[in-house]
Amino acid sequence: MFGMVKSLFLEDPSQTDWEVCAGISAGSIVSAFVCQTKPSDPSGFAKKLAEFERRLLSPKFHPLTPWHSNSILNTVSAFLWHGSFYQDGVESLVTQNLGPLHRRLQAGAFNLDTSKYETLTTLRGVMASSAVPVAFPTVEIKGQQYTDGSMAHWFPIVEIEAYVRRPGPKRVDLLMCYPLDREGFLRTGAVPTHRKMVHSMAETVSQRNWLTYEADCARLRALGAEIRPGVQYVKDLDWTLRIISPKLCPYSDFTHMSPSEMQRLIREGMESVERKAEPLSLHIG
């Protein structure tokens, strides 16, 4: 997703002049990154892009803190005493790389005390939105526990619905980190392993994620949009939607990240933008 933002900016800085940035899980981190500068500040945005990319590509970039350096001991300790594989989730990533917000941020998180999805607007909310269950501990905000927003939604459809129903013309850029079809979606989340139980668990999680994603897509279709890469216009609500999605690529995370792996992901994001060019289509609901 960072590569998508970078490519959009290099193509035309005005494309990243979003007033509101909404995201769930890792998407909330990138949204918070965009919010580090005000809209219509290309020089400031270019500086932040270069700075953030240098940190991502640094061999020292290891934002996750295990309970023990030994992976076996860490796994045993997590299961017996902690309930998560890492100590602080993405807290160090957020606190060390993100500062004051200069645009409206919306980070989707799941409130475990109420079993409801909520839109949070602070960097603490970004930590909550990215707190993947089991991998990371929950995040406490005002006495309540929060976890990854993907428990309820796979992309910020709640925030999109509220935005496009406002009066006047609207533009939404929906940046996806996975293919939009079922086969590509499931393969992206596949974990290559010969351990049958691990494979079964990963497959089950991927199927559950697909159901969540499909439910979000149904709500997007109800707004008059199609789920496909490119640009489309929905006349009834007077909004333009652009969807950017990558080709099939292996999923990666921060647990075993290397500069070359990070560069590959950034490059794929940039290529997703380069492939986006499609004619504007009119949808009349």
Side-chain angles (χ1 to χ4, degrees):
M1 189 174 293
F2 176 80
M4 293 176 186
V5 172
K6 177 183 177 181
S7 187
L8 286 170
F9 175 81
L10 294 177
E11 186 179 87
D12 179 359
S14 67
Q15 292 190 111
T16 55
D17 283 346
W18 302 296
E19 295 180 3
V20 183
C21 297
I24 295 175
S25 198
S28 70
I29 298 176
V30 178
S31 295
F33 159 74
V34 174
C35 290
Q36 297 300 287
T37 60
K38 296 179 181 179
S40 303
D41 180 14
S43 60
F45 199 81
K47 182 179 179 180
K48 286 292 183 181
L49 272 172
E51 177 185 322
F52 200 65
E53 186 168 18
R54 278 197 303 272
R55 296 188 182 190
L56 292 176
L57 297 178
S58 170
K60 297 181 180 180
F61 179 72
H62 299 292
L64 306 183
T65 307
W67 300 100
H68 296 281
S69 57
N70 181 284
S71 60
I72 296 178
L73 286 177
N74 185 69
T75 300
V76 173
S77 179
F79 272 101
L80 292 180
W81 296 292
H82 303 297
S84 67
F85 284 106
Y86 298 94
Q87 295 185 37
D88 59 4
V90 294
E91 184 169 352
S92 59
L93 173 66
V94 171
T95 56
Q96 295 173 19
N97 297 282
L98 300 172
L101 303 171
H102 298 283
R103 311 188 197 194
R104 286 177 54 198
L105 172 68
Q106 298 179 328
F110 188 77
N111 187 325
L112 289 170
D113 289 288
T114 63
S115 297
K116 292 182 179 180
Y117 176 87
E118 294 184 18
T119 301
L120 307 178
T121 60
T122 65
L123 291 180
R124 185 82 179 160
V126 172
M127 300 176 198
S129 177
S130 308
V132 179
V134 180
F136 309 138
T138 60
V139 174
E140 182 176 327
I141 299 177
K142 295 182 180 180
Q144 296 188 314
Q145 300 299 317
Y146 290 83
T147 190
D148 197 302
S150 64
M151 289 281 292
H153 297 288
W154 205 243
F155 59 87
I157 183 61
V158 172
E159 293 77 8
I160 291 174
E161 288 174 332
Y163 182 77
V164 302
R165 284 175 175 149
R166 303 189 315 179
K170 285 83 56 175
R171 178 174 67 90
V172 174
D173 290 326
L174 184 54
L175 311 184
M176 303 288 211
C177 286
Y178 38 82
L180 306 181
D181 63 289
R182 179 178 178 275
E183 181 182 356
F185 184 98
L186 295 178
R187 287 179 63 190
T188 297
V191 177
T193 177
H194 297 296
R195 299 177 180 178
K196 190 171 183 179
M197 181 176 289
V198 173
H199 174 77
S200 178
M201 289 175 60
E203 188 176 55
T204 299
V205 170
S206 293
Q207 292 283 358
R208 173 263 180 195
N209 289 339
W210 171 255
L211 289 176
T212 304
Y213 167 71
E214 268 287 271
D216 290 343
C217 288
R219 292 173 66 165
L220 195 63
R221 294 188 189 98
L223 295 172
E226 293 182 8
I227 314 301
R228 60 166 178 78
V231 182
Q232 52 191 296
Y233 175 69
V234 181
K235 184 177 180 180
D236 278 5
L237 295 174
D238 193 12
W239 70 299
T240 301
L241 170 66
R242 173 170 53 181
I243 299 179
I244 299 173
S245 172
K247 288 184 177 179
L248 179 66
C249 61
Y251 173 79
S252 189
D253 56 36
F254 291 136
T255 58
H256 300 92
M257 188 57 65
S258 67
S260 60
E261 181 75 357
M262 185 70 79
Q263 184 62 65
R264 180 186 66 79
L265 292 172
I266 293 174
R267 183 63 236 168
E268 174 57 36
M270 295 185 71
E271 291 175 354
S272 300
V273 172
E274 294 165 5
R275 292 191 298 265
K276 77 179 186 312
E278 288 189 12
L280 187 71
S281 59
L282 180 66
H283 289 259
I284 303 177

